[in-house]
Amino acid sequence: MSTPILLGLSGALRAEATNRYLIRNAARVFGPCDYVEADLNLPLYDGDLEAAAGIPGAVQTLANQIAAADAVVISTPEYNKMLTGVLKNALDWVSRVKPGPWAGKPVAVMSAAAGRAGGERAQVSLVGAMTPFQPNLIIGPEVAVAGSSSAFDAEGTLTNERYAANLTKLMAKLRAAL
């Protein structure tokens, strides 16, 4: 097999978001791959916009990246006990692209959040939001980084050994699903 393409989606838009750090750590431990980080800074889904202008270019780019990827890793913070609006909006837009790029795609989900549960509820809502697309969801070991603002060093490397060990196991399962 050629070098696999791993696509990373962060449910946070901030350049220094801990979820960006987490997907970058995931790419590193995934092993040799061509890593691509998606841009989820998309217009809000609006049926009138879609009817008038079709699928926006940025949404088509994201759908094409998903289709081209051999595997996808998604990390979301927890906003009010759910996945972020940014991530849900991206999923809603991509669901409008035909044919759907998610079917059978190996996808690992994880989270990094300020709270002590590390975004566990956000992961549950993310899995629920992904289910209609029928990806190959790689479940467990769970990676839910609590107190995420202090879980990474200045270079963005995950410093907690337990989280790092679970991330390594999860990425091994994702690679095995290729």
Side-chain angles (χ1 to χ4, degrees), residues 7-83:
L7 178 65
L9 278 69
S10 170
L13 294 177
R14 286 186 17 250
E16 300 299 316
T18 56
N19 284 276
R20 285 192 191 281
Y21 292 159
L22 188 54
I23 60 174
R24 291 170 186 163
N25 278 264
R28 181 179 47 78
V29 299
F30 181 81
C33 66
D34 290 330
Y35 175 66
V36 177
E37 199 164 300
D39 181 2
L40 301 188
N41 195 0
L42 307 171
L44 289 175
Y45 177 74
D46 177 346
D48 290 339
L49 172 64
E50 180 184 10
I55 301 294
V59 172
Q60 188 63 59
T61 295
L62 175 59
N64 292 346
Q65 288 172 324
I66 295 165
D70 294 298
V72 180
V73 61
I74 306 173
S75 187
T76 185
E78 187 169 289
Y79 290 0
N80 302 308
K81 304 183 190 292
M82 299 286 289
L83 74 158

Side-chain angles (χ1 to χ4, degrees), residues 3-178:
T3 304
I5 298 169
L6 179 65
L7 178 65
L9 278 69
S10 170
L13 294 177
R14 286 186 17 250
E16 300 299 316
T18 56
N19 284 276
R20 285 192 191 281
Y21 292 159
L22 188 54
I23 60 174
R24 291 170 186 163
N25 278 264
R28 181 179 47 78
V29 299
F30 181 81
C33 66
D34 290 330
Y35 175 66
V36 177
E37 199 164 300
D39 181 2
L40 301 188
N41 195 0
L42 307 171
L44 289 175
Y45 177 74
D46 177 346
D48 290 339
L49 172 64
E50 180 184 10
I55 301 294
V59 172
Q60 188 63 59
T61 295
L62 175 59
N64 292 346
Q65 288 172 324
I66 295 165
D70 294 298
V72 180
V73 61
I74 306 173
S75 187
T76 185
E78 187 169 289
Y79 290 0
N80 302 308
K81 304 183 190 292
M82 299 286 289
L83 74 158
T84 64
V86 165
L87 187 50
K88 180 64 168 78
N89 183 59
L91 295 176
D92 289 343
W93 263 120
V94 170
S95 76
R96 306 299 298 162
V97 176
K98 304 300 181 229
W102 290 111
K105 185 78 56 182
V107 177
V109 300
M110 59 191 64
S111 58
R116 67 177 183 246
E120 289 176 345
R121 286 177 243 170
Q123 284 190 46
V124 170
S125 64
L126 175 55
V127 167
M130 292 294 298
T131 300
F133 309 133
Q134 300 181 14
N136 176 13
L137 287 170
I138 308 303
I139 305 297
E142 188 173 76
V143 177
V145 179
S148 65
S149 64
S150 61
F152 299 87
D153 66 18
E155 288 77 41
T157 302
L158 188 60
T159 57
N160 180 289
E161 291 178 20
R162 182 173 54 99
Y163 296 141
N166 280 350
L167 181 62
T168 299
K169 290 174 189 171
L170 182 62
M171 290 301 98
K173 284 179 72 175
L174 183 62
R175 183 173 277 282
L178 299 180

